[in-house]
Amino acid sequence: MSVLVTGGAGYIGSHMVLELIGAGEDVVVLDNLSTGFRSAVPDTATFVEGNVGDSALVGRILKEHDIDAILHFAGSIVVPDSITDPLGYYGNNTCNSRSLLACAVDAGVPHFIFSSTAAVYGEPERSPITEEAPPRPISPYGSSKLMTETMLADTARAYPLRYVALRYFNVAGADPAGRTGQSTPRATHLIKVASEAAVGSRPGIDIFGTDYQTPDGTCIRDYIHVTDLVRAHLDALRYLRAGGESTVLNCGYGNGFSVFEVVDAVKRVSGVDFPVRTVERRPGDPPDLVAGAGRIRDVLGWEPQLNDLDTIVGHALAWERHLKGGRGTA
Ligand SMILES: NC(=O)c1ccc[n+]([C@@H]2O[C@H](COP(=O)([O-])OP(=O)(O)OC[C@H]3O[C@@H](n4cnc5c(N)ncnc54)[C@H](O)[C@@H]3O)[C@@H](O)[C@H]2O)c1
Ligand SMILES: O=c1ccn([C@@H]2O[C@H](COP(=O)(O)OP(=O)(O)O[C@H]3O[C@H](CO)[C@H](O)[C@H](O)[C@H]3O)[C@@H](O)[C@H]2O)c(=O)[nH]1
């Protein structure tokens, strides 16, 4: 038996592949390399270059490799791009997920783990946000992911497939052993961007909005270490294999940090005082997104091990220095 990791050449997927191999799993990666890197996939995994929406290819993989679980990371992830190209986002995130799910049902794959997002909540009324909060996405990206959650729920009612949808909050950091990290060119995520500034890969950073209704006026987010996140997937895989019911779980720590606090942490940990400009708000940024983080611990027994902002930042910086030195997957 093997597991299929779609998007396994990407930032989070490449960490997942290492974690699965470390746990003794046979791993097949399917990735079209649109934003991922072939070099991010270790030789110990089988790599197939192709599209998740290619049913003939996916059907062949599921059969040939006797896949018992699909971990579906492949997707398009930039919120502002989803506003200018909604059909592209519904195509890649929703239509291709539907096609993958149909292949899973045809092949009788029993377990499915889906990369969802806190963006399904939109601008929630309460913080921390529990899974009971009504999903009201404010971007096509969030809607495209919520539609896939809906398809999963309906599919699991109709067929013998069980799933865990994990709603990630803000994923950051890199493999503590330095084997992989985020190599995405033109990245937009705060910790990645600030780390680039700290190592001199960009001149400085902009802070988008200082007039939010938060203690220091900047947005608050719940940053989760990518290694803790992929370990939650491993816990979800064990849970499904042990017969666990389909469920939707937040993936965050339940601790919020403002943009100013994150920038201070990057400056402190790196020892570099890079230039920072304060500019207008970025459209579509909710002021405060912090996970209600209890359910995932109760259901999966997940225990975060890297729940510390300076640790996350330290690992992000180490990966950025690695890329700067020309040894990264980019
Ligand atoms: N990074 C975050 O903070 C965050 C937060 C919430 C949810 N997510 C979700 O996690 C998943 C992984 O995100 P990431 O940050 O690693 O992004 P990423 O862009 O690094 O990885 C996505 C991977 O999927 C591949 N891919 C895209 N479309 C494909 C297709 N049609 N067929 C085959 N491969 C395809 C890309 O080449 C890439 O390797 C995404 O589904 C994303 O929506 C990420
Ligand atoms: O250069 C930057 C980059 C970001 N920010 C601010 O930092 C905060 C975090 O922004 P990110 O771009 O790092 O992350 P987002 O919260 O916008 O979104 C991320 O987390 C979401 C869930 O919380 C979704 O999953 C989404 O896919 C993922 O990109 C926001 O207030 C943003 O305005 C800046 O001030 N300057």
Side-chain angles (χ1 to χ4, degrees), residues 217-276:
T218 64
C219 290
I220 292 173
R221 295 288 183 273
D222 187 343
Y223 295 90
I224 174 172
H225 196 295
V226 62
T227 298
D228 273 338
L229 177 77
V230 298
R231 287 182 183 150
H233 290 66
L234 205 55
D235 291 339
L237 181 62
R238 293 187 180 121
Y239 164 85
L240 287 172
R241 284 179 175 161
E245 290 298 308
S246 295
T247 188
V248 177
L249 301 169
N250 285 343
C251 269
Y253 294 138
N255 307 324
F257 292 95
S258 73
V259 176
F260 278 141
E261 287 172 328
V262 169
V263 171
D264 283 349
V266 177
K267 288 188 173 186
R268 185 176 61 248
V269 175
S270 65
V272 179
D273 187 14
F274 51 85
V276 174

Side-chain angles (χ1 to χ4, degrees), residues 160-186:
L161 173 145
R162 283 170 295 110
Y163 74 93
V164 175
L166 296 171
R167 292 177 175 165
Y168 311 166
F169 282 64
N170 287 58
V171 188
D175 176 42
R179 296 168 296 175
T180 189
Q182 187 170 17
S183 305
T184 327
R186 296 176 302 283

